[in-house]
Amino acid sequence: MMPQEIVLEKMEPERLSDSVNLLLSLQLKCLTHYRAKMEEYQPGSQPEPNNGLTAESLRVFQEHSD
């Protein structure tokens, strides 16, 4: 069990549910963003600078989109 100084007060189940829903919605927004970038991406072309899509994010997306 974690010390009381770290966890503070017990969270109500409704608040925990709200927190989980927030995290899931942020995750969905991130996935939607990368799917849109993948639709714009054409193999052999260089991604535009500062568009938020790096070679590493492309690799990770391709691994998880199958």
Side-chain angles (χ1 to χ4, degrees):
M1 207 162 178
M2 295 182 74
Q4 183 71 23
E5 303 84 44
I6 295 175
V7 294
L8 301 176
E9 296 178 19
K10 184 176 179 180
M11 184 183 286
E12 295 178 26
E14 185 177 310
R15 300 281 306 204
L16 179 60
S17 178
D18 290 343
S19 300
V20 170
N21 287 338
L22 173 66
L23 292 173
L24 291 174
S25 69
L26 293 174
Q27 185 179 29
L28 180 61
K29 284 183 181 184
C30 183
L31 180 60
T32 302
H33 169 77
Y34 281 109
R35 284 184 187 241
K37 291 295 182 180
M38 282 299 297
E39 289 175 4
E40 294 174 10
Y41 175 75
Q42 295 180 9
S45 67
Q46 291 288 331
E48 294 179 21
N50 300 322
N51 69 354
L53 190 62
T54 64
E56 178 65 12
S57 62
L58 279 173
R59 184 188 65 73
V60 169
F61 179 80
Q62 287 168 344
E63 286 177 1
H64 292 90
S65 64
D66 294 331

